[in-house]
mmCIF file of all heavy atoms in Angstrom:
data_model
loop_
_atom_site.group_PDB
_atom_site.id
_atom_site.type_symbol
_atom_site.label_atom_id
_atom_site.label_comp_id
_atom_site.label_asym_id
_atom_site.label_seq_id
_atom_site.Cartn_x
_atom_site.Cartn_y
_atom_site.Cartn_z
ATOM 1 N N MET A 9 23.042 -50.561 38.454
ATOM 2 C CA MET A 9 23.082 -49.555 37.395
ATOM 3 C C MET A 9 21.950 -48.549 37.582
ATOM 4 O O MET A 9 22.160 -47.348 37.495
ATOM 5 C CB MET A 9 22.932 -50.228 36.025
ATOM 6 C CG MET A 9 24.172 -51.011 35.612
ATOM 7 S SD MET A 9 25.508 -49.954 35.082
ATOM 8 C CE MET A 9 24.898 -49.364 33.538
ATOM 9 N N ALA A 10 20.747 -49.079 37.845
ATOM 10 C CA ALA A 10 19.596 -48.196 37.982
ATOM 11 C C ALA A 10 19.784 -47.273 39.158
ATOM 12 O O ALA A 10 19.498 -46.088 39.102
ATOM 13 C CB ALA A 10 18.336 -49.018 38.160
ATOM 14 N N SER A 11 20.283 -47.826 40.292
ATOM 15 C CA SER A 11 20.421 -47.002 41.475
ATOM 16 C C SER A 11 21.512 -45.960 41.289
ATOM 17 O O SER A 11 21.384 -44.838 41.728
ATOM 18 C CB SER A 11 20.687 -47.910 42.668
ATOM 19 O OG SER A 11 21.973 -47.890 43.083
ATOM 20 N N HIS A 12 22.591 -46.298 40.518
ATOM 21 C CA HIS A 12 23.664 -45.336 40.257
ATOM 22 C C HIS A 12 23.119 -44.175 39.417
ATOM 23 O O HIS A 12 23.399 -43.016 39.665
ATOM 24 C CB HIS A 12 24.809 -46.049 39.514
ATOM 25 C CG HIS A 12 25.889 -45.111 39.085
ATOM 26 N ND1 HIS A 12 26.734 -44.513 39.982
ATOM 27 C CD2 HIS A 12 26.221 -44.653 37.854
ATOM 28 C CE1 HIS A 12 27.578 -43.721 39.316
ATOM 29 N NE2 HIS A 12 27.280 -43.807 38.016
ATOM 30 N N SER A 13 22.285 -44.549 38.401
ATOM 31 C CA SER A 13 21.701 -43.533 37.524
ATOM 32 C C SER A 13 20.800 -42.605 38.319
ATOM 33 O O SER A 13 20.838 -41.402 38.164
ATOM 34 C CB SER A 13 20.898 -44.238 36.423
ATOM 35 O OG SER A 13 20.168 -43.312 35.695
ATOM 36 N N SER A 14 19.987 -43.189 39.201
ATOM 37 C CA SER A 14 19.075 -42.389 40.014
ATOM 38 C C SER A 14 19.849 -41.452 40.916
ATOM 39 O O SER A 14 19.504 -40.297 41.089
ATOM 40 C CB SER A 14 18.207 -43.349 40.832
ATOM 41 O OG SER A 14 17.440 -42.633 41.736
ATOM 42 N N SER A 15 20.961 -41.987 41.506
ATOM 43 C CA SER A 15 21.775 -41.155 42.393
ATOM 44 C C SER A 15 22.412 -40.004 41.625
ATOM 45 O O SER A 15 22.480 -38.880 42.092
ATOM 46 C CB SER A 15 22.819 -42.058 43.027
ATOM 47 O OG SER A 15 24.028 -41.476 43.110
ATOM 48 N N SER A 16 22.845 -40.263 40.337
ATOM 49 C CA SER A 16 23.439 -39.209 39.504
ATOM 50 C C SER A 16 22.415 -38.135 39.196
ATOM 51 O O SER A 16 22.710 -36.949 39.206
ATOM 52 C CB SER A 16 23.952 -39.798 38.195
ATOM 53 O OG SER A 16 24.976 -40.708 38.442
ATOM 54 N N GLU A 17 21.178 -38.603 38.892
ATOM 55 C CA GLU A 17 20.123 -37.645 38.564
ATOM 56 C C GLU A 17 19.828 -36.749 39.747
ATOM 57 O O GLU A 17 19.663 -35.537 39.603
ATOM 58 C CB GLU A 17 18.851 -38.391 38.146
ATOM 59 C CG GLU A 17 18.943 -38.965 36.732
ATOM 60 C CD GLU A 17 17.786 -39.882 36.416
ATOM 61 O OE1 GLU A 17 16.826 -39.921 37.216
ATOM 62 O OE2 GLU A 17 17.839 -40.559 35.376
ATOM 63 N N LYS A 18 19.811 -37.350 40.958
ATOM 64 C CA LYS A 18 19.541 -36.555 42.174
ATOM 65 C C LYS A 18 20.645 -35.537 42.380
ATOM 66 O O LYS A 18 20.400 -34.388 42.734
ATOM 67 C CB LYS A 18 19.438 -37.494 43.386
ATOM 68 C CG LYS A 18 18.121 -38.243 43.455
ATOM 69 C CD LYS A 18 18.097 -39.156 44.660
ATOM 70 C CE LYS A 18 16.794 -39.952 44.684
ATOM 71 N NZ LYS A 18 16.785 -40.943 45.745
ATOM 72 N N LYS A 19 21.884 -35.980 42.141
ATOM 73 C CA LYS A 19 23.019 -35.085 42.321
ATOM 74 C C LYS A 19 22.924 -33.916 41.337
ATOM 75 O O LYS A 19 23.131 -32.766 41.684
ATOM 76 C CB LYS A 19 24.326 -35.866 42.090
ATOM 77 C CG LYS A 19 25.581 -35.049 42.393
ATOM 78 C CD LYS A 19 26.826 -35.882 42.205
ATOM 79 C CE LYS A 19 28.062 -35.046 42.478
ATOM 80 N NZ LYS A 19 29.292 -35.776 42.201
ATOM 81 N N SER A 20 22.561 -34.260 40.096
ATOM 82 C CA SER A 20 22.425 -33.225 39.069
ATOM 83 C C SER A 20 21.328 -32.246 39.447
ATOM 84 O O SER A 20 21.484 -31.036 39.325
ATOM 85 C CB SER A 20 22.103 -33.892 37.731
ATOM 86 O OG SER A 20 21.804 -32.929 36.769
ATOM 87 N N ASP A 21 20.183 -32.796 39.929
ATOM 88 C CA ASP A 21 19.071 -31.926 40.338
ATOM 89 C C ASP A 21 19.500 -31.002 41.462
ATOM 90 O O ASP A 21 19.146 -29.818 41.487
ATOM 91 C CB ASP A 21 17.881 -32.773 40.804
ATOM 92 C CG ASP A 21 17.215 -33.483 39.643
ATOM 93 O OD1 ASP A 21 17.462 -33.076 38.482
ATOM 94 O OD2 ASP A 21 16.451 -34.428 39.910
ATOM 95 N N THR A 22 20.287 -31.538 42.398
ATOM 96 C CA THR A 22 20.748 -30.737 43.534
ATOM 97 C C THR A 22 21.651 -29.608 43.072
ATOM 98 O O THR A 22 21.529 -28.469 43.516
ATOM 99 C CB THR A 22 21.522 -31.630 44.536
ATOM 100 O OG1 THR A 22 20.710 -32.723 44.896
ATOM 101 C CG2 THR A 22 21.908 -30.845 45.766
ATOM 102 N N LEU A 23 22.554 -29.929 42.137
ATOM 103 C CA LEU A 23 23.467 -28.908 41.616
ATOM 104 C C LEU A 23 22.695 -27.808 40.918
ATOM 105 O O LEU A 23 22.954 -26.619 41.096
ATOM 106 C CB LEU A 23 24.466 -29.547 40.644
ATOM 107 C CG LEU A 23 25.573 -30.392 41.280
ATOM 108 C CD1 LEU A 23 26.371 -31.106 40.192
ATOM 109 C CD2 LEU A 23 26.496 -29.516 42.121
#
Side-chain angles (χ1 to χ4, degrees):
M9 288 285 289
S11 105
H12 174 70
S13 171
S14 173
S15 139
S16 297
E17 284 171 10
K18 283 179 183 174
K19 186 178 179 185
S20 173
D21 289 343
T22 306
L23 286 173

